[in-house]
């Protein structure tokens, strides 16, 4: 998964990974990339994520999902 920050919020709006105890706030033009499966192809629970509330300004992102196998 690739989450590209097109417009960063002035305050808040981090992408949070609660099970990994991680919050990321890339600047405008920055991105967060992560593989959401383990090496065995199982879902990786550490990649559970959500956007934190925007407290000031506007946050705009574009998400690109990449697949390892054909989608049937």
């Amino acid at each position: 998964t690739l989450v590209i920050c097109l417009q960063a919020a002035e305050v808040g709006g981090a992408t949070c990974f609660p099970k990994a105890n991680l919050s990321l706030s890339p600047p405008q033009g920055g991105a967060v990339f992560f593989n959401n499966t383990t090496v065995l192809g199982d879902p990786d629970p550490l990649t559970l994520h959500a956007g934190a509330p925007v407290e000031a300004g506007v946050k705009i992102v574009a998400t690109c999902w990449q697949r390892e196998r054909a989608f049937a």
Side-chain angles (χ1 to χ4, degrees), residues 24 31 52 56 70:
L24 302 170

Side-chain angles (χ1 to χ4, degrees), residues 7-39:
Q7 182 173 332
E10 294 173 31
V11 180
T15 299
C16 301
F17 297 81
K19 293 188 177 193
N21 197 28
L22 179 66
S23 293
L24 302 170
S25 296
Q28 183 171 321
V32 175
F33 176 79
F34 56 94
N35 189 356
N36 64 356
T37 59
T38 67
V39 294

